[in-house]
């Protein structure tokens, strides 16, 4: 089996955390949040290498206080992030030319586990994609601009999407290259496309090679695999760690 690369995103500003410290570097149990996902990938039998994407002003800190301090030897490259999340992912993907599979993960999700990675790898090798998520527990309402309910989807068909979002590398690279081309030409803005995750990029921009790719496939993650975005999330994470 070819190289399996984890792209860990750590370039976000974390404005909703209301903290001078970026959320991925806040401490839980005396270690920065991003330590936990990096450590899982470091210890995983599934992952061969890690590409870490960080903001330009954090590069020295990440090298010395994260990668070197904790001995993350699988980190093969630290690249500068972009303006938007998808720009950061693309910068990471440009280092994956010899990878067969990519696992794109938000560094603010510390609760990724080996069990999730094993499940994702099984589906990924069979289907070419494996996007981690969980079925929603609540009833979901679709509303218009006036907050009037326009639809209530069947809860059995609605999942909340998490990361990692995993793809054959050539699929992800092809889709992201087309996305960036449309962004550079202004077509992305003209079409009104707002990219929210990697699965959406593949769904929108990947052109299947002779019908072999059957679309994005979901795989079960965990309800604990939360993304730490607000102070309330940080409190929940502390409870999970206890």
């Amino acid at each position: 089996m070819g190289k399996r690369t984890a792209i860990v995103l750590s370039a976000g500003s974390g404005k909703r955390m209301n903290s001078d410290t970026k959320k991925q570097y806040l401490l839980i149990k005396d270690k920065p949040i991003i330590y936990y996902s990096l450590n899982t990938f470091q210890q995983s039998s599934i992952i061969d290498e890690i590409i870490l994407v960080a903001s330009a002003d954090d590069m020295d800190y990440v090298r010395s206080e994260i990668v070197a301090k904790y001995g993350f030897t699988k980190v093969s490259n630290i690249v500068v992030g972009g303006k938007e999340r998808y720009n950061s992912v693309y910068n990471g993907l440009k280092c994956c030319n010899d990878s067969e599979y990519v696992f794109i993960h938000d560094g603010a999700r510390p609760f990724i586990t080996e069990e999730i990675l094993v499940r994702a790898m099984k589906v990924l090798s069979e289907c070419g994609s494996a996007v981690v998520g969980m079925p929603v527990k609540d009833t979901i309402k679709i509303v218009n601009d006036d907050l009037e309910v326009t639809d209530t989807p069947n809860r059995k068909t609605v999942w909340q999407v998490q990361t990692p979002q995993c793809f054959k590398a050539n699929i992800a690279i092809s889709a992201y290259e087309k996305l960036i081309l449309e962004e550079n030409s202004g077509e992305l803005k003209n079409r009104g496309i707002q990219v929210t995750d990697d699965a959406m990029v593949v769904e929108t921009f990947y052109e299947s090679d002779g019908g072999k790719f059957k679309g994005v496939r979901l795989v079960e993650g965990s309800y604990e695999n939360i993304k730490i975005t607000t102070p309330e999330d940080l409190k929940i994470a502390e409870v999970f760690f206890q």
Side-chain angles (χ1 to χ4, degrees):
M1 185 175 292
K3 183 186 290 185
R4 294 160 289 187
T5 301
I7 299 174
V8 179
L9 304 174
S10 184
S13 60
K15 293 178 180 178
R16 284 178 285 179
M17 189 57 73
N18 299 321
S19 171
D20 292 334
T21 302
K22 295 178 181 179
K23 61 185 178 183
Q24 58 269 34
Y25 306 130
L26 291 171
L27 300 182
I28 298 181
K29 293 183 66 178
D30 300 322
K31 290 184 175 64
I33 288 170
I34 195 170
Y35 161 86
Y36 296 98
S37 56
L38 287 173
N39 190 56
T40 297
F41 290 129
Q42 174 73 29
Q43 302 298 328
S44 175
S45 62
I46 299 297
I47 300 301
D48 297 311
E49 72 167 351
I50 302 167
I51 294 171
L52 184 55
V53 185
S55 62
D57 55 357
D58 291 333
M59 297 296 278
D60 290 341
Y61 172 81
V62 166
R63 287 192 186 97
S64 62
E65 298 302 314
I66 303 294
V67 176
K69 180 176 180 178
Y70 296 108
F72 292 134
T73 56
K74 285 186 182 180
V75 175
S76 61
N77 212 329
I78 305 173
V79 300
V80 176
K83 180 181 178 181
E84 303 291 344
R85 181 188 184 278
Y86 62 81
N87 299 121
S88 295
V89 173
Y90 181 61
N91 289 350
L93 285 171
K94 286 189 287 187
C95 301
C96 296
N97 292 327
D98 61 345
S99 302
E100 184 172 1
Y101 301 104
V102 292
F103 292 65
I104 305 168
H105 187 66
D106 292 325
R109 289 186 187 270
F111 297 105
I112 182 66
T113 66
E114 178 74 354
E115 290 76 17
I116 293 174
L117 295 178
V118 169
R119 288 198 295 271
M121 188 65 239
K122 182 177 186 299
V123 174
L124 177 58
S125 62
E126 295 170 352
C127 305
S129 69
V131 173
V132 173
M134 291 297 289
V136 300
K137 296 180 179 180
D138 299 321
T139 296
I140 302 298
K141 298 289 185 181
I142 308 300
V143 301
N144 59 22
D145 292 341
D146 296 320
L147 299 185
E148 297 169 336
V149 174
T150 60
D151 190 22
T152 303
N154 184 340
R155 190 166 58 187
K156 292 181 180 179
T157 68
V158 181
W159 279 50
Q160 58 189 49
V161 176
Q162 304 172 349
T163 67
Q165 300 194 5
C166 318
F167 306 93
K168 289 194 69 174
N170 66 301
I171 290 174
I173 292 169
S174 174
Y176 267 91
E177 284 178 344
K178 187 174 180 182
L179 163 65
I180 298 302
L181 282 174
E182 290 208 6
E183 179 185 49
N184 292 339
S185 68
E187 185 63 20
L188 188 68
K189 184 177 181 180
N190 293 338
R191 292 173 64 186
I193 296 175
Q194 294 183 333
V195 176
T196 56
D197 72 344
D198 311 296
M200 182 181 179
V201 176
V202 172
E203 293 160 19
T204 306
F205 295 102
Y206 180 66
E207 297 179 358
S208 178
D209 50 347
K212 296 178 182 179
F213 180 63
K214 300 187 178 186
V216 173
R217 187 70 60 91
L218 293 184
V219 61
E220 186 176 298
S222 166
Y223 288 114
E224 290 189 0
N225 185 27
I226 63 170
K227 184 177 182 181
I228 298 177
T229 304
T230 66
E232 292 78 13
D233 298 328
L234 192 60
K235 293 177 182 178
I236 294 170
E238 289 170 346
V239 170
F240 286 163
F241 274 113
Q242 290 174 4

